[in-house]
Amino acid sequence: MKPYISLLQVRFLNGLQYRAAALGGLATQFFWGIMLVFIYKAFYGGAASSNGFSFQDLVSFVWLQQAFLSFLFLYDWDSEMLDMITTGGISYELCRPVRIYQVWYVKLLSKRLSRGILRFAPVVILGFIMPYPYNLSLPGSPVSLLLFIVTLFLGLFLLVAISMLIYISIFKTMSPIGSVGIFSIIGEFFAGMTIPLPLMPSWLQNICMALPFRWTADLPLRVYSGNIGTPEAITGIAIQSVWIAILVLAGAFIMKRITRLSVVQGG
Amino acid sequence: MKLYTKYISLLLKSQLQYKASFTMTVVTQFIQPFALFAGIYFLFQRFGNIQGWTLYEVFMCYAVVGICFATSTCFARGFDSFAEMIRTASFDRVLVRPRSTVLQILGASFDIKRIGHFMQSVFVLVLAIISADISWDLARVVMLANMILGGSVIFSGVYMLQAAAAFWTIEALEVANIFTHGIKEHASYPLNIFPKWITILFTFIIPFGTINYIPLQYLLGKIDGTGWLYAFIPLLGSLFIFPCILAWKFGVRRYSSAGS
């Protein structure tokens, strides 16, 4: 366990160095949030609520989504790992006395952690000081806030597990653009990142509930405002944990098989 | 011009060499925009319309912006990835050749894989044209052509500005994404839903309003007026390219090499 924790620390601290990039990202996220909020406002028109999802809850959803983008967005282009798979660099990685699944999982996790920690606060603050009704509301209750933090982090662990499966699929497809591009966009859609779940038709919501993606983004983002109540959030935490267990075990198993059988690319 | 066609045909040939990778990328590019497309579709299913604009009218907007985005990222790709050239100082090589820098950067990269995204937008455009109730006449056809032309020019202008900024920042400017990917994502909606300052920003400063919102109002029969006047508004908007070229020239003059 120890090497993985130190790897997490090193990578996390390393990621914190990219402050200028974070500043650029801040402007983008803020602008994105504003545009989305206005678009939804126009859709809602005068209505205060749609399908049990109030405009205020939706605005909080949008701001938190922008603030914690690196915890929520499935799309992740890690050129270091992609090159390793497509150019054969992975053979060195396999020689090391650590499990490759765990190492890659930690790498992806620490990158997202450092980005998220570096970027979330300014967006949250800007969200709070926006004029009504375009502002980020306070959490529904102290319990909602606590549950939000728990589901957000469990969601992150689940997201990285899904992300790992995408990287593993590249061993089969040998097309990083294909794998990362297509699987990410599908996953994000089912996660409620394109439009929030309550605004989808009910048949589509049912599909989303059955897939793992929704538990990474939609759940925490709606727990915050209290749109998803405490009992439902606690069930959600249980479901998140089950998905994490399933996908991590599956990922580690497939990784082991594939690396045993894989043909290293390149000379 | 002859030199440019030569550049393009070479780049085209080289990209088509990797057939499997090429197909995969094109297919990905075709599928990806469907997420946003589906998102818009479901929002309309829930809300019916957005301040009087219907689904197909918004699809029209979406398609025009998509086509322009795909076209300009295909042709002006060199400017999009220009920061790399500054960082590695390979721009020095461009400067010593006796041809214009703009031509050389345009010719340095040509991303034909964008055809996937392009096709998706054309698909949506056809869908919108069939379903939306438009009384076509010559002015409207010219208008649509001008919208696509003008939009591609404006997007290219933004890429150029982004590249020009790299002369000062030496690194890629993430902020510029607001005006490229941001526009692609959000400009599907009519400008009047936004507050004044955003409308002004997108009408007079980065004039995307001139290639979708303003002419579309006439095209879709929402306002009356002289058709031919509206048909040429997109071209007025594409004058945006001139300050961009100026900024670029200014940057080039200021350039001092970064490396060995």
Side-chain angles (χ1 to χ4, degrees), chain A residues 21 31 39 43 50 175 199-200, chain B residues 24 46-47 174 178 182 189 195:
Chain A
F31 189 77
I39 290 169
F43 269 118
S50 176
S175 165
L199 302 182
M200 293 178 182
Chain B
M24 196 68 201
R46 171 132 338 254
F47 294 102
E174 208 185 332
I178 292 175
Y189 299 100

Side-chain angles (χ1 to χ4, degrees), chain A residues 26 29-30 59-69 116-130 134-139 145 148 152 221 224:
Chain A
L26 168 68
Q29 257 63 72
F30 181 62
V59 172
S60 297
F61 183 103
V62 169
W63 285 121
L64 291 176
Q65 185 187 29
Q66 295 306 318
F68 291 98
L69 212 56
I117 300 292
L118 205 57
R119 294 177 180 212
F120 84 94
V123 181
V124 168
I125 293 169
L126 284 171
F128 274 128
I129 58 176
M130 284 290 286
Y134 305 113
N135 62 322
L136 171 62
S137 314
L138 289 170
L145 181 63
F148 165 69
L152 184 70
L221 292 177
Y224 174 87

Side-chain angles (χ1 to χ4, degrees), chain B residues 61-171:
Chain B
C61 235
Y62 164 95
V64 169
V65 171
I67 291 175
C68 299
F69 180 78
T71 313
S72 69
T73 27
C74 170
F75 285 96
R77 175 93 196 129
F79 284 106
D80 190 17
S81 53
F82 179 72
E84 190 61 24
M85 236 179 180
I86 290 268
R87 228 170 37 77
T88 57
S90 48
F91 186 60
D92 292 11
R93 266 185 292 159
V94 171
L95 282 177
V96 295
R97 296 191 194 118
R99 287 285 181 276
S100 99
T101 51
V102 175
L103 176 76
Q104 288 189 64
I105 305 292
L106 276 179
S109 194
F110 177 76
D111 196 3
I112 186 64
K113 296 181 222 83
R114 298 286 163 175
I115 192 105
H117 188 177
F118 183 84
M119 294 305 289
Q120 197 269 350
S121 303
V122 170
F123 168 81
V124 179
L125 184 67
V126 171
L127 188 77
I129 288 177
I130 295 170
S131 315
D133 188 24
I134 304 169
S135 44
W136 288 101
D137 55 30
L138 188 62
R140 284 188 167 86
V141 175
V142 174
M143 193 183 302
L144 187 61
N146 280 346
M147 280 157 68
I148 291 170
L149 185 73
S152 310
V153 171
I154 297 176
F155 267 120
S156 308
V158 176
Y159 281 126
M160 228 166 159
L161 277 186
Q162 179 190 345
F167 284 114
W168 283 270
T169 59
I170 322 287
E171 59 177 354

Side-chain angles (χ1 to χ4, degrees), chain A residues 93-108:
Chain A
E93 199 84 345
L94 287 171
C95 300
R96 300 206 172 104
V98 280
R99 297 279 166 104
I100 188 163
Y101 182 88
Q102 282 84 330
V103 169
W104 281 18
Y105 188 99
V106 165
K107 276 187 189 171
L108 291 179

